[in-house]
DNA sequence: AAGTGGTCTAGACCACATA
DNA sequence: ATGTGGTCTAGACCACTTC
């Protein structure tokens, strides 16, 4: 355990136990320096980490204070579906149902992807049961290699994840009723409540891909644990 | 702009632009020290921040490398509903529909909350239209003050947020079909797809409250922007 | 064996918010 | 005016990993 970790842990414990309540002023840096017999840089690093984690707030001249929790946050990790399904102990299978150049009508429904583009649709299966229906549009100019890919054996998400450099993404979550076509693909009754996850991805301001993934409402647990400051 | 920020920005720009692709080795610390004419501590802090952000990976003896993007993540911020609705420019109103001591049957459906407990149900309105249906269970032993609260004028969430520090929360998201009772409360057709957000909150290992919030599928935009490394 | 990043020190100057 | 945190320096030693 480093000195920094020790300082962090001591303060974190007092906050989580409720001993130091929101608004409580924690010791000044120079006091912690004296208490731990270390340099100020080490104390500063420890407090900086706690501040980044949202556990404390730091104010010049005033000191550092236990933060008031403001909003509940959850980190939603949208893993690669093959891995997600494999982690559940199921066999993964991808079934391509459509792959074609995007028409003007396709792109009219998109915001931000210009021709040429590729439309890919398919169903992710776990143990041969439909798990998620996916429709994706890929910008060819941004990802030229995609034009030569069939996406027959592996879903485009995995392919992209492995080779597309860093991204900025926006996510949306909604509940929708399964359309008849969707219901058929997913093997559920028409009108079943489904979770719809939508994602737009950019690189350097250029949109790379837009994907809509639809899960039967009961088949996808998006549970996230959040500890303020971990 | 601090020296540290300048170093961070320079590296981040090269990564986001695609100039440095995943796996690329970025300059060693001592090279960045020479290039920027600063101390090693400053370079170390900059690279540490980039590593925490997931933009680079650092390996002793080998150097620092542009990370391979692994999963898409989204930070789901679950704001106080009155504020969320106010931010949409709508008038907020809370309508309490039930408040009673929890029965054994109530708690049988809960996991982790022991008697005594309080059950509170109500509907959040925006511009007098139902926006979200809420059912909450509050542990009285953990939050004794709640016993004296009516929750008539303000929802329990706001009351709790203002005075109860929490240290850990778990969230779940699901799509459900509106039950007849739910549909009546929300003013939608029975069977409508709804987003259901569930949250358990603890302090120091003791469960404080459990809440289920149900939104008509089209009425809640949970959109999150995620930039890897910000 | 060599070189990297991880951690730490004992100073320093400064911007800023408060009093 | 004062004292805080923010940033930085120029060293140092060490653990770890790869060579």
């Amino acid at each position: 355990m480093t000195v920094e970790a020790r300082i962090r842990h001591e303060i974190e414990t007092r906050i989580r136990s409720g001993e130091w309540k929101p608004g409580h002023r924690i010791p000044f840096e120079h006091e912690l320096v004296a208490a731990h017999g270390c340099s100020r840089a080490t104390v500063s690093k420890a407090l900086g980490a706690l501040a980044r984690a949202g556990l404390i707030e730091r104010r010049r001249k005033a000191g550092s204070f236990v933060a008031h929790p403001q909003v509940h946050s959850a980190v939603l990790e949208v893993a690669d579906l093959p891995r997600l399904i494999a982690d559940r102990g199921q066999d993964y299978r991808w079934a391509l149902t459509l792959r074609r150049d995007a028409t003007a009508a396709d792109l009219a429904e998109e915001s931000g992807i210009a021709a040429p583009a590729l439309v890919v649709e398919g169903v992710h299966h776990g143990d041969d049961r439909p798990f998620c229906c996916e429709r994706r549009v890929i910008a060819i100019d941004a990802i030229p290699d995609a034009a030569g890919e069939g996406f027959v054996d592996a879903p485009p998400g995995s392919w992209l994840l492995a080779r597309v450099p860093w991204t900025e993404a926006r996510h949306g979550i909604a509940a929708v009723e399964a359309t008849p076509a969707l219901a058929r693909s997913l093997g559920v009754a028409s009108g079943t409540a489904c979770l719809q996850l939508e994602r737009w991805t950019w690189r350097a301001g250029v949109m790379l891909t837009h994907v809509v993934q639809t899960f039967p409402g009961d088949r996808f647990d998006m549970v996230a644990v959040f500890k303020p400051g971990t």
Side-chain angles (χ1 to χ4, degrees), chain A:
Chain A
M1 173 104 74
T2 64
V3 177
E4 184 205 331
R6 191 155 46 82
I7 298 173
R8 243 191 299 118
H9 184 260
E10 181 206 297
I11 296 173
E12 190 171 340
T13 301
R14 296 201 200 227
I15 294 177
R16 292 205 190 283
S17 72
E19 180 185 342
W20 287 351
K21 299 198 191 320
H24 177 93
R25 210 211 76 225
I26 74 174
F28 294 125
E29 289 195 355
H30 65 81
E31 294 173 320
L32 291 169
V33 163
H36 291 85
C38 64
S39 76
R40 203 190 133 209
T42 303
V43 167
S44 176
K45 212 179 166 203
L47 295 189
L50 291 172
R52 267 194 311 275
L55 224 64
I56 66 172
E57 284 173 13
R58 315 198 68 193
R59 293 204 305 274
R60 278 174 159 123
K61 170 70 183 178
S64 300
F65 302 82
V66 177
H68 292 81
Q70 297 261 344
V71 294
H72 287 272
S73 299
V75 175
L76 181 68
E77 297 237 321
V78 185
D80 195 34
L81 282 176
R83 199 157 71 185
L84 178 74
I85 290 174
D87 287 348
R88 295 174 148 227
Q90 301 183 346
D91 283 333
Y92 175 80
R93 186 168 60 85
W94 160 255
L96 181 71
T97 53
L98 185 150
R99 182 196 182 285
R100 64 146 191 261
D101 293 331
T103 65
D106 289 328
L107 294 175
E109 294 176 8
E110 300 292 328
S111 58
I113 292 193
L118 208 58
V119 177
V120 178
E121 289 185 12
V123 183
H124 302 264
H125 292 74
D127 281 347
D128 278 334
R129 286 174 47 216
F131 180 83
C132 167
C133 224
E134 169 170 334
R135 177 191 165 87
R136 183 185 291 268
V137 180
I138 303 172
I140 294 292
D141 284 344
I143 312 172
D145 289 352
E149 271 293 317
F151 301 119
V152 175
D153 297 323
S158 305
W159 187 87
L160 289 166
L161 197 61
R163 69 201 70 208
V164 172
W166 218 269
T167 57
E168 177 179 344
R170 199 171 78 227
H171 295 79
I173 301 173
V176 300
E177 290 154 41
T179 61
L182 206 56
R184 216 175 309 120
S185 295
L186 288 173
V188 298
S190 187
T192 301
C194 293
L195 258 187
Q196 199 169 70
L197 188 65
E198 200 167 1
R199 183 164 62 249
W200 297 263
T201 309
W202 291 265
R203 180 185 63 219
V206 177
M207 190 178 291
L208 304 175
T209 181
H210 170 222
V211 61
V212 179
Q213 295 175 324
T214 311
F215 307 79
D218 60 340
R219 207 157 307 171
F220 189 38
D221 309 321
M222 287 198 285
V223 177
V225 176
F226 180 72
K227 290 187 188 183
T230 310

